[in-house]
Structure formats: structure tokens, C-alpha cells
Amino acid sequence: LSDCLACDNCVTAEEGARVFQQNQKELFRILNLNKKCDTSKHKVLAVSVCPQSLPYFAAKFNLSVNDAAKRLCGFLKSLGVHYVFDTTIAADFSVLESQREFVQRYQRRNQEEHALPMFASACPG
């Protein structure tokens, strides 16, 4: 979240508490706690990797994007992360849902004053 612009567009009041858990210090705190305690008391850690980050790692370490994904996943698991998820499919669903909403709004443009314009974006952070 170090790149977050704090625009409040992605976080509702209910999600505010969860955002606290999504930072580097908290991740390493939990990783260290997991190393010190019984495995039955471990907190499960899941990391999501967006497809836009993989070309950066690939270029930085002179790897293919697939190799970068495999190595990043392996690195995170070596730290103690339990699950690593690729968010590509979630991004695809988001685009499909935006497309569906746009078609509906476009069809209602003459009946509803505020049907258009429609704004959609991904978090700039």
C-alpha cells in the first residue's frame, strides 16, 4: 500500500480494518510470529499478485514473465506465505462486468439522465 493515493474510492468503512493488515510491516510481523509458534497456531497468509507487476520483475532480473511468476511465487512461499494467487482472472471478470454495465447504461441513455457517462478504472497505486 505504499503507492496508495488514499483516494477512498476502493475502501468502504467496513474494509478499513482489513487495509491495516495489508502492509509490509504487518506481513513480516506475522511471518516472524509464525516462525516462533506451533504450526497449529499459524496465521494463514495469502498474497495476490497482479499481472502488471510481473513484467517489472522479469525485466529487472532478465527473466521471462513466466519464470518471474514462478520465482516470485517460490520466493513468497519460502518466506512462509501459504497461498499465492494470480489476480488475472479477477481482472478479466472486472472488465467483463464493466462491459456489461456499459452496455446496459448505453441502452438506457435516452431514458435516464445520468446513465452516461460511466467511469471505470483500476487503482492507480
Side-chain angles (χ1 to χ4, degrees):
L1 290 175
S2 62
D3 292 334
C4 177
L5 302 176
C7 65
D8 281 339
N9 289 326
C10 66
V11 179
T12 64
E14 295 82 26
E15 295 166 324
R18 288 187 220 129
V19 170
F20 168 76
Q21 298 172 348
Q22 298 181 30
N23 64 63
Q24 184 178 348
K25 285 181 184 176
E26 186 66 7
L27 172 66
F28 286 114
R29 187 183 77 76
I30 298 299
L31 286 170
N32 287 328
L33 281 175
N34 281 356
K35 287 178 186 173
K36 295 176 185 174
C37 70
D38 183 331
T39 56
S40 66
K41 297 178 182 178
H42 279 192
K43 289 193 175 186
V44 176
L45 291 169
V47 172
S48 60
V49 178
C50 67
Q52 296 88 341
S53 64
L54 294 175
Y56 165 79
F57 288 111
K60 182 165 180 67
F61 297 107
N62 201 22
L63 301 167
S64 71
V65 173
N66 280 343
D67 284 343
K70 289 176 188 174
R71 289 187 184 203
L72 180 59
C73 181
F75 171 71
L76 291 167
K77 288 193 172 208
S78 76
L79 289 177
V81 171
H82 297 92
Y83 301 100
V84 180
F85 296 102
D86 180 338
T87 62
T88 302
I89 194 164
D92 291 345
F93 279 120
S94 176
V95 169
L96 289 172
E97 185 61 23
S98 292
Q99 173 261 336
R100 185 194 63 76
E101 183 180 350
F102 175 76
V103 168
Q104 288 177 344
R105 285 170 170 259
Y106 184 78
Q107 290 169 343
R108 295 190 324 252
R109 73 188 181 284
N110 295 325
Q111 291 84 26
E112 285 185 35
E113 179 183 352
H114 299 291
L116 293 175
M118 177 183 138
F119 297 98
S121 71
C123 173

